[in-house]
């Protein structure tokens, strides 16, 4: 009798297990689908979250294009003096204070019927290193150990446009490292000298300083900022 009960129990357990594994096998694809669906939802929510959070990085602001602002971020292309793409994508970030300073420049130029074009903004230190590895010459590239104003998020490489967005003649291309690109080179047409003067006087009025050898380079002079490392999101 005991033996029969034992066998009966044994077969009942075996049957239950078999059924259970069948159920699991049937459930698995559904389970995987669900996991995938959950992952997809996760990815989507992370993506939209990063789009919201990254531009709002504390202390930083992003300059985007508008009717009077063009972006031609050359280090996101190979159209630059090292002929190599340095950024995964072109985005223009600066410190908040610099953004506010540039807002004043933009509105003053806009009133006069001019716009701006930006060639470079914040440049993360690892990119400075890449640039230095390619051109280890302090006449053209600031050594990464010292860090440039671009690495601190306070420098802008900038030119002028007219009200229609046409780029104005500044005498040379951006990143032209010859005497014609210097502020104290006056052998340019009157129109070029006037364009440079307008940019320089407006920038200086709003706390941006120039350097003698690059008509396009300005850095914000109020406050001191650390070299920054962070890279922007390209999604
Ligand atoms: Zn510069």
């Amino acid at each position: 009798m005991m033996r029969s009960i034992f066998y009966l129990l044994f077969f009942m357990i075996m049957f239950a297990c078999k059924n259970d594994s069948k159920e699991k096998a049937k459930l698995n694809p559904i389970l995987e689908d669900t996991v995938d669906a959950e992952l997809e939802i996760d990815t989507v929510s992370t993506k939209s979250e990063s789009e919201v959070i990254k531009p709002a990085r504390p202390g930083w602001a992003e300059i985007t294009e508008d009717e009077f602002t063009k972006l031609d971020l050359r280090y996101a292309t190979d159209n630059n003096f090292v002929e190599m793409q340095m950024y995964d994508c072109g985005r223009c970030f600066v410190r908040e204070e610099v953004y506010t300073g540039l807002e004043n420049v933009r509105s003053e130029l806009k009133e006069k019927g001019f716009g701006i074009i930006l060639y470079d903004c914040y440049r993360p230190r690892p990119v400075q290193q890449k640039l230095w590895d390619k051109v280890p010459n302090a006449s053209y590239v600031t050594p990464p150990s010292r860090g440039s104003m671009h690495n601190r998020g306070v420098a802008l490489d900038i030119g002028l446009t007219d009200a229609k967005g046409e780029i104005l003649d500044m005498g040379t291309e951006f990143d032209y490292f010859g005497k014609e690109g210097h502020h104290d080179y006056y052998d340019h047409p009157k129109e070029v000298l006037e364009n440079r003067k307008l940019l320089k006087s407006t920038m200086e009025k709003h706390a941006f300083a120039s350097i003698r050898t690059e008509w396009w380079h300005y850095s914000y002079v109020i406050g001191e900022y650390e070299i920054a490392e962070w890279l922007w999101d390209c999604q």
Side-chain angles (χ1 to χ4, degrees):
M1 179 71 186
M2 281 298 281
R3 184 170 282 196
S4 313
I5 291 172
F6 175 78
Y7 278 124
L8 187 66
L9 273 173
F10 178 77
F11 282 118
M12 276 174 75
I13 290 165
M14 283 298 284
F15 183 76
C17 281
K18 213 176 163 194
N19 255 6
D20 190 39
S21 66
K22 257 191 204 161
E23 278 302 297
K24 266 186 192 160
K26 255 194 275 170
L27 271 176
N28 259 346
I30 301 165
L31 203 70
E32 274 163 22
D33 277 352
T34 317
V35 171
D36 278 353
E38 271 169 12
L39 280 179
E40 265 174 41
I41 292 162
D42 251 353
T43 316
V44 170
S45 71
T46 311
K47 202 173 159 193
S48 59
E49 204 174 280
S50 71
E51 277 163 9
V52 176
I53 291 170
K54 286 274 172 65
R57 196 178 185 87
W60 293 79
E62 181 171 12
I63 301 166
T64 52
E65 288 199 314
D66 63 21
E67 205 188 334
F68 288 85
T69 308
K70 278 174 102 93
L71 297 182
D72 180 14
L73 302 164
R74 297 288 183 86
Y75 294 106
T77 72
D78 59 8
N79 181 18
N80 56 59
F81 82 106
V82 289
E83 296 176 338
M84 221 172 105
Q85 186 179 342
M86 291 286 160
Y87 302 144
D88 290 342
C89 63
R91 294 182 71 177
C92 175
F93 289 92
V94 285
R95 302 277 181 177
E96 261 169 12
E97 295 82 346
V98 180
Y99 184 91
T100 308
L102 189 72
E103 277 287 89
N104 296 330
V105 169
R106 285 202 276 190
S107 60
E108 196 170 323
L109 286 172
K110 192 175 160 182
E111 269 173 36
K112 292 178 180 168
F114 295 93
I116 59 163
I117 177 162
L118 294 167
Y119 299 106
D120 197 25
C121 312
Y122 162 56
R123 186 188 306 152
R125 204 200 59 82
V127 177
Q128 190 73 16
Q129 184 66 53
K130 255 165 74 178
L131 214 53
W132 178 255
D133 293 344
K134 178 96 175 145
V135 186
N137 181 339
S139 306
Y140 302 108
V141 179
T142 308
S145 54
R146 200 168 87 219
S148 79
M149 290 301 179
H150 285 286
N151 303 147
R152 290 173 166 82
V154 296
L156 288 165
D157 293 333
I158 182 172
L160 285 177
T161 72
D162 64 17
K164 289 180 189 151
E166 290 294 317
I167 299 164
L168 298 185
D169 189 358
M170 303 301 276
T172 74
E173 259 284 324
F174 156 69
D175 263 2
Y176 176 86
F177 298 113
K179 63 180 188 309
E180 293 85 351
H182 297 182
H183 277 294
D184 55 1
Y185 182 86
Y186 299 105
D187 202 9
H188 283 299
K190 189 167 163 260
E191 180 200 341
V192 168
L193 298 177
E194 275 173 5
N195 292 339
R196 283 191 185 185
K197 191 175 167 190
L198 172 65
L199 180 62
K200 191 165 182 275
S201 59
T202 315
M203 292 299 276
E204 283 174 349
K205 189 173 164 189
H206 298 289
F208 288 92
S210 63
I211 54 171
R212 191 185 63 84
T213 53
E214 299 177 4
W215 63 257
W216 55 87
H217 178 97
Y218 287 89
S219 57
Y220 194 69
V221 293
I222 301 172
E224 280 190 17
Y225 298 90
E226 295 286 311
I227 295 169
E229 303 267 344
W230 65 275
L231 301 165
W232 50 82
D233 193 0
C234 283
Q235 282 158 9

